[in-house]
Amino acid sequence: MTLPDTAHTPPGADRTFQVDLRGLVDLLSHHLYSSPRVYLRELMQNAVDALTARHSLEPAAPADAFGVRLYADGSVVRVEDDGVGLTEADVHSFLATIGRSSKRAERIAEQRGDFIGQFGIGLLSCFLVADEIHVLSRSARTPDAPAVEWRGRGDGSYTVRTLPATARPRPGTTVTLTPRADAGEWTRPAQVHALARHFGSLLRHPVTFDDGTGGTGGTGGPGASVNSEPAPWARTYPTPGARSRALAAYGEEVFGFKPLDTIELDLPAVGLKGIACVLPETVPAGRRHGHRVHVKGMLLSEQAEEILPDWAFFVRCVVDAESLRPTASRESLYEDDTLAAVREALAERLRAWIARAAASDPDLLHRFLQAHHLAVKSLAVHDDEILRMLLPWLPFETTDGHTTLDEFARTHRTVLVTSSVEEFRQVAAIASAAGLGVVNGGYTYDRELVHRLPEIRPEATVADLDPATLTAHLDPVDRETELAAAAYLAQARDALAVFDCDVALRTFQPVSAPALLIDSREARHERTRSQLAREQEGGLWGDILGALRQEAPRAQLILNQLNPLVRTAVSIDEPELARTSAEALYGQAAMLSRRPLRPAESSLINRSFLDLLAHALRKDS
């Protein structure tokens, strides 16, 4: 673009913004487009839009009467179409002006519902790979329209001239690029052919490629088709099984994995068709895969996460839509009401597939839940229908092993659920031996889902596990044994007072467990807060903590009288050795709980081991 002369502009007069085209192209390449390769997509989009306009002008013409032809021989890249073409006025409006709005451009924009792109900066992407763009066009709107030639250069200048109609005998547009030396990666014949197939394999208009070798170059001779077959969901098949296999094969070709199943997607209201491929393996929580989204056949994005809700990370989709709105870069989708409605409609299709599997294909459902139970749990939390349908089938970690809630509830009328994984680890073996049915509620969604079990099985009772429930199921020792161990228990309580831990003597199974440490995360937090309040006594922070202070719950170290080690320990009458053995039993129980050890606990374990070793050495000597 030539810049206006502003040297003699009077003070206070309106001025016109000046555009540095090289700077604008640099901005596009670094911030708008993900790669220079988009230049070919932009050229193909312009060509397809021109064909759409030509069909609107000549609706009786056969669908394959007009097409797009690509040519690349290493020295030039050319895209030719049989579209509606441009008049000289169109050239000035659409090719030589950046950002200016006109009544004609606005009127055309209102009618572009059938078009992929928008008039604007798309053609500038060609400057990512070339210093000059040559356009030769002839309008189909006027039978004797002349040809128009436009040459745009990277320095912002351009020329326009009118040529005889014979310069382009047929209506349409030809865009020719002379690639820069540093753009060979994107303009070699093989790469142009690959990009054309990548972006345009699902286009509805015929697209061909010619590498200039007459068919000996390995990428295709004159007329080699880029999109020889329609989308797999648009083809006809002899049987439903053949269709299913074809869609699965296409999903494997696109995504590189054999789908567990394929789900056909069809939303007529927005002209969307495609497939969702169910991943055969577990997806780590939080990881979302991108989906391939085509708009009117042209590939828009391979990483369109926004097309499905967060919980649907067990599928990858490839779809072609008519009414989704691209962003300015045309590499992602614009978030609007239409996209929100499409996302919800596709989510409903996935729910329907799960429902069908639950109702008619238990083997498929089992394989699906094995791999994707976390995704289904996240859905069941918010979807009552899925909850009622699948909660009995979902696997949970319980004191009976990994099992479904349906099987677990048949054995245990009262289902207890822990609030954390570490709490379950602490009590699992003891609770199982005591006949208690406990579910690990520490994993994402599990505790909330277990509490909703009575909605499915009204006869089941669900309650949070608390220390009192567990200790109530441990048998007390007889009075004589309690009295004989009183001195040891007093020494143990004194030794463990630093951890706010009480000590009790009970009998429970399994015999191999010497002690059980019951100490919830909430109890530890409350003790820490109480300790901070004591340390900050009198200050503002201490007043705040004091206002929140409650009676700090104590941890409990429950010794198992049936265990030989405990029976030996409670008979110790040497005070220091009694304290050391109590510390060792606490340390062992803390490690068996599998929770992270506090520094003081790690120090206690090391010290008690060394003290026991020193005592043994003194005794031997």
Side-chain angles (χ1 to χ4, degrees):
M1 237 131 304
T2 54
L3 303 180
D5 180 11
T6 60
H8 304 291
T9 305
D14 288 343
R15 297 172 181 263
T16 303
F17 282 108
Q18 302 181 34
V19 176
D20 179 352
L21 187 58
R22 290 193 184 277
L24 181 57
V25 170
D26 182 69
L27 181 68
L28 295 179
S29 63
H30 288 94
H31 300 284
L32 184 62
Y33 296 125
S34 61
S35 165
R37 69 177 185 167
V38 299
Y39 82 92
L40 188 66
R41 184 198 64 196
E42 296 293 336
L43 289 178
M44 293 174 67
Q45 282 186 346
N46 288 342
V48 171
D49 283 348
L51 293 179
T52 303
R54 181 74 180 273
H55 275 289
S56 298
L57 192 65
E58 304 176 33
D64 58 353
F66 311 124
V68 180
R69 295 169 293 283
L70 309 179
Y71 178 90
D73 62 3
S75 60
V76 297
V77 175
R78 187 165 61 241
V79 178
E80 182 178 5
D81 67 68
D82 301 316
V84 72
L86 299 171
T87 64
E88 183 176 359
D90 292 335
V91 167
H92 285 288
S93 295
F94 303 141
L95 302 185
T97 303
I98 299 174
R100 182 183 300 166
S101 175
S102 67
K103 293 299 181 182
R104 173 171 165 76
E106 291 172 357
R107 186 169 62 254
I108 291 176
E110 292 173 358
Q111 301 170 356
R112 293 182 68 83
D114 292 333
F115 296 170
I116 300 170
Q118 295 291 330
F119 289 120
I121 61 176
L123 192 64
L124 292 182
S125 64
C126 295
F127 285 121
L128 299 176
V129 297
D131 285 327
E132 183 173 288
I133 305 171
H134 176 258
V135 178
L136 182 63
S137 186
R138 182 181 170 193
S139 176
R141 299 182 186 277
T142 306
D144 57 350
V148 182
E149 180 190 64
W150 179 89
R151 289 184 184 273
R153 288 169 286 276
D155 62 2
S157 62
Y158 71 93
T159 59
V160 178
R161 62 174 181 158
T162 301
L163 302 176
T166 54
R168 199 183 197 288
R170 299 174 58 189
T173 301
T174 302
V175 181
T176 304
L177 310 179
T178 302
R180 293 196 307 270
D182 62 352
E185 176 184 358
W186 308 108
T187 57
R188 290 192 302 268
Q191 180 71 312
V192 172
H193 184 244
L195 290 177
R197 289 186 57 81
H198 179 73
F199 289 121
S201 62
L202 299 185
L203 287 173
R204 292 82 181 269
H205 302 284
V207 182
T208 59
F209 176 77
D210 182 1
D211 63 5
T213 63
T216 63
T219 55
S225 179
V226 167
N227 54 341
S228 56
E229 293 184 327
W233 47 83
R235 305 172 203 165
T236 57
Y237 300 90
T239 64
R243 181 179 183 85
S244 178
R245 288 189 295 272
L247 295 179
Y250 179 75
E252 186 172 4
E253 176 187 348
V254 170
F255 296 123
F257 64 83
K258 186 175 182 180
L260 184 67
D261 197 14
T262 55
I263 307 165
E264 285 207 57
L265 306 174
D266 186 3
L267 304 179
V270 292
L272 183 146
K273 290 181 178 291
I275 58 172
C277 297
V278 182
L279 290 153
E281 297 178 349
T282 303
V283 180
R287 178 187 296 178
R288 296 186 64 191
H289 289 290
H291 308 287
R292 289 176 64 96
V293 175
H294 299 251
V295 175
K296 301 177 181 67
M298 183 69 75
L299 178 64
L300 179 78
S301 174
E302 298 174 271
Q303 300 296 326
E305 295 182 356
E306 61 273 18
I307 197 74
L308 287 180
D310 290 348
W311 55 261
F313 54 78
F314 57 87
V315 297
R316 293 192 70 183
C317 295
V318 52
V319 300
D320 185 18
E322 296 285 337
S323 302
L324 294 179
R325 181 180 171 192
T327 58
S329 67
R330 295 199 281 277
E331 296 187 316
S332 59
L333 295 172
Y334 187 83
E335 188 67 48
D336 58 11
D337 291 343
T338 299
L339 179 58
V342 166
R343 183 163 50 237
E344 180 55 38
L346 292 180
E348 184 57 37
R349 297 299 187 275
L350 299 185
R351 293 188 188 97
W353 175 82
I354 294 174
R356 286 196 303 272
S360 60
D361 197 338
D363 179 63
L364 174 61
L365 179 68
H366 176 70
R367 288 184 286 126
F368 169 66
L369 291 179
Q370 273 190 321
H372 302 297
H373 59 272
L374 182 59
V376 177
K377 286 179 179 180
S378 69
L379 176 58
V381 167
H382 307 290
D383 190 305
D384 291 343
E385 182 181 351
I386 293 295
L387 177 79
R388 290 190 297 271
M389 188 187 314
L390 293 184
L391 183 59
W393 295 81
L394 291 172
F396 290 82
E397 184 179 10
T398 75
T399 46
D400 291 353
H402 282 84
T403 185
T404 65
L405 279 187
D406 190 57
E407 295 176 352
F408 194 69
R410 291 174 186 171
T411 307
H412 304 280
R413 293 294 298 272
T414 299
V415 176
L416 302 172
V417 59
T418 65
S419 59
S420 66
V421 174
E422 71 178 55
E423 185 180 8
F424 180 80
R425 298 282 187 264
Q426 291 172 11
V427 306
I430 312 302
S432 178
L436 296 176
V438 182
V439 179
N440 185 351
Y443 296 116
T444 306
Y445 312 117
D446 282 16
R447 183 167 175 266
E448 184 176 355
L449 288 174
V450 174
H451 272 287
R452 298 189 67 179
L453 178 62
E455 298 177 29
I456 312 302
R457 281 185 163 272
E459 70 275 12
T461 301
V462 177
D464 287 326
L465 177 69
D466 58 50
T469 302
L470 183 62
T471 54
H473 284 77
L474 305 181
D475 295 330
V477 296
D478 58 69
R479 184 170 180 78
E480 290 185 4
T481 302
E482 185 79 33
L483 289 173
Y488 178 84
L489 295 177
Q491 294 282 358
R493 293 186 184 106
D494 183 62
L496 300 180
V498 66
F499 299 113
D500 288 317
C501 184
D502 194 12
V503 183
L505 188 65
R506 297 286 189 272
T507 63
F508 54 84
Q509 297 292 332
V511 175
S512 59
L516 169 66
L517 179 61
I518 300 178
D519 188 17
S520 68
R521 183 181 303 171
E522 291 75 14
R524 292 197 301 276
H525 287 174
E526 179 58 37
R527 292 197 301 273
T528 300
R529 187 172 63 184
S530 297
Q531 181 180 354
L532 283 173
R534 290 193 298 271
E535 294 173 354
Q536 300 286 339
E537 195 81 40
L540 175 62
W541 183 238
D543 293 342
I544 294 173
L545 291 174
L548 299 174
R549 185 182 305 168
Q550 304 173 5
E551 183 64 30
R554 307 193 73 191
Q556 280 189 301
L557 180 67
I558 302 176
L559 305 179
N560 185 4
Q561 174 63 20
L562 300 179
N563 181 269
L565 176 61
V566 172
R567 289 203 301 270
T568 301
V570 298
S571 65
I572 296 174
D573 53 12
E574 184 179 333
E576 285 302 318
L577 182 58
R579 291 174 61 90
T580 299
S581 67
E583 291 174 342
L585 287 168
Y586 176 91
Q588 182 186 30
M591 288 190 294
L592 289 175
S593 71
R594 303 186 194 180
R595 64 169 171 79
L597 297 177
R598 291 172 285 178
E601 291 172 333
S602 298
S603 176
L604 173 139
I605 292 171
N606 293 332
R607 185 178 68 250
S608 62
F609 175 79
L610 291 174
D611 288 349
L612 288 173
L613 184 60
H615 177 82
L617 292 175
R618 286 197 304 271
K619 184 177 180 180
D620 290 341
S621 61

